[in-house]
Amino acid sequence: MEHKIKELADAIVSARTKYLVLGHVKELHFEKNHLIIVVDNAGPLHELEEKEIDHHLQQGMEKVYGEDITYELRLFKEHHPHDRENEVPHEINQ
């Protein structure tokens, strides 16, 4: 996965966009000609959505994956069990 992220970052001209991709993209998932870019937290996700940075990201993706590529940004979510899932059930009727 890291190889694909680095390949995308190398195709990006903007230093800031390249930094965001290398530092904050966790995963790339492909569904036909649609790329899902998974970002580790909301700050970089919102920055990647900004018009100028989005433009550089789109140009980099077109260099690597072709002009027909579409994409979306998603926030990485790890599964953390809720505290109640970790509690031991109490026997009421003993």
Side-chain angles (χ1 to χ4, degrees):
M1 181 62 56
E2 290 178 21
H3 172 72
K4 291 189 181 283
I5 294 169
K6 181 153 177 31
E7 181 182 17
L8 175 59
D10 288 343
I12 296 171
V13 178
S14 164
R16 180 65 185 160
T17 307
K18 186 180 290 199
Y19 166 78
L20 289 169
V21 169
L22 285 174
H24 296 286
V25 171
K26 299 284 276 184
E27 301 170 4
L28 298 174
H29 297 286
F30 294 92
E31 295 175 358
K32 297 184 183 180
N33 284 343
H34 187 71
L35 176 63
I36 299 169
I37 302 171
V38 182
V39 182
D40 64 358
N41 66 51
L45 177 104
H46 292 303
E47 253 188 280
L48 287 166
E49 290 174 335
E50 291 176 4
K51 187 176 181 177
E52 183 179 336
I53 292 178
D54 175 68
H55 174 73
H56 293 293
L57 183 60
Q58 182 71 33
Q59 285 183 333
M61 284 189 301
E62 288 175 359
K63 287 180 189 174
V64 176
Y65 305 113
E67 292 182 10
D68 294 338
I69 192 76
T70 60
Y71 75 99
E72 67 182 279
L73 298 166
R74 289 189 187 167
L75 189 60
F76 181 74
K77 295 182 182 180
E78 292 185 59
H79 174 69
H80 294 290
H82 191 274
D83 290 339
R84 290 185 180 185
E85 291 179 34
N86 294 328
E87 289 180 7
V88 177
H90 299 285
E91 288 292 329
I92 298 174
N93 299 325
Q94 294 183 359

